[in-house]
């Protein structure tokens, strides 16, 4: 009796490890590309590489693992959006609102984040190497274990920000 249960458990475990937990909703992707508005949408794993999504409204949407490399999201409303492990390398996010966004493990290398609002956002283990954060607001943002090598933080507000080493910044970085 124990052998069949063990075999079934092993089979089900193997299936659950290979199947994705959540997949993009194709209707949501189509709506976003046509209207630039998709609040609370499921866009996880979507390929939006190079897409023109300037001034898009994606409040509360789920983009975990999505590919947005080279996309234009300038001026977009991305409040409470989940970008966990998303590829945002070389993406233009200038002037976007990412307050309370989740970017843990996201790749933002080479991204344009000038004058972006990242207040109370989560960027644990995010890759921000060579990103331009000039004038960005990162008030109470969590950057623990983030890669900031070569990042431009000129005029960025880092007040009460948790820095990569775990220390809390108490002043604006000029």
């Amino acid at each position: 009796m124990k052998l069949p249960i063990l075999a079934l458990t092993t089979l089900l475990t193997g299936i659950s490890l290979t199947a994705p937990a959540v997949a993009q909703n194709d209707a949501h992707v189509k709506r976003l590309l046509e209207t630039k508005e998709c609040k609370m949408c499921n866009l996880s794993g979507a390929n939006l590489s190079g897409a023109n999504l300037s001034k898009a409204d994606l409040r509360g949407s789920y983009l975990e693992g999505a590919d947005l490399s080279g996309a234009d999201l300038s001026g977009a409303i991305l409040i409470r959006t989940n970008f966990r492990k998303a590829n945002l390398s070389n993406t233009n996010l200038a002037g976007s609102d990412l307050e309370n966004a989740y970017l843990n493990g996201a790749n933002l290398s080479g991204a344009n984040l000038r004058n972006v609002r990242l207040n109370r956002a989560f960027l644990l283990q995010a890759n921000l190497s060579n990103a331009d954060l000039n004038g960005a607001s990162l008030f109470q943002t969590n950057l623990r274990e983030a890669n900031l090598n070569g990042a431009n933080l000129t005029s960025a507000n880092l007040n009460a920000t948790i820095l990569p080493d775990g220390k809390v910044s108490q002043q604006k970085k000029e």
Side-chain angles (χ1 to χ4, degrees), residues 99-128:
E99 184 161 356
N100 293 309
Y102 294 91
L103 293 130
N104 296 344
N107 181 4
L108 291 140
S109 60
N112 179 355
L113 295 159
R114 292 176 73 91
N115 301 310
V116 74
R117 189 171 165 217
L118 276 160
N119 298 334
R120 291 175 285 284
F122 295 88
L123 289 112
L124 285 78
Q125 299 179 337
N127 181 1
L128 291 153

Side-chain angles (χ1 to χ4, degrees), residues 27-43 52-61 63 73 76-78:
H28 289 177
V29 173
K30 183 178 180 191
R31 181 169 75 199
L32 172 63
L33 294 173
E34 290 175 357
T35 69
K36 293 189 181 181
E37 185 174 332
C38 203
K39 298 175 192 169
M40 304 293 290
C41 287
N42 178 7
L43 302 163
N52 180 359
L53 300 171
S54 63
K55 298 186 176 154
D57 189 347
L58 287 161
R59 277 180 268 201
S61 289
L63 287 106
L73 285 158
I77 302 169
L78 306 167

Side-chain angles (χ1 to χ4, degrees), residues 87-104:
N87 183 0
L88 294 151
S89 60
N90 300 307
T91 298
N92 182 7
L93 288 151
S96 293
D97 190 347
L98 286 144
E99 184 161 356
N100 293 309
Y102 294 91
L103 293 130
N104 296 344

Side-chain angles (χ1 to χ4, degrees), residues 104 118 120-126 138-146 160-164 166:
N104 296 344
L118 276 160
R120 291 175 285 284
F122 295 88
L123 289 112
L124 285 78
Q125 299 179 337
L138 292 99
F139 177 71
Q140 293 183 339
T141 296
N142 192 335
L143 293 169
R144 190 171 193 112
E145 297 180 31
T161 296
I162 299 173
L163 301 172

Side-chain angles (χ1 to χ4, degrees), residues 137-172:
S137 181
L138 292 99
F139 177 71
Q140 293 183 339
T141 296
N142 192 335
L143 293 169
R144 190 171 193 112
E145 297 180 31
N147 177 357
L148 294 170
N149 291 332
N152 177 6
L153 294 165
T154 305
S155 300
N157 177 1
L158 298 172
N159 192 28
T161 296
I162 299 173
L163 301 172
D165 63 3
K167 294 179 182 173
V168 178
S169 173
Q170 295 301 320
Q171 56 188 335
K172 197 175 182 180

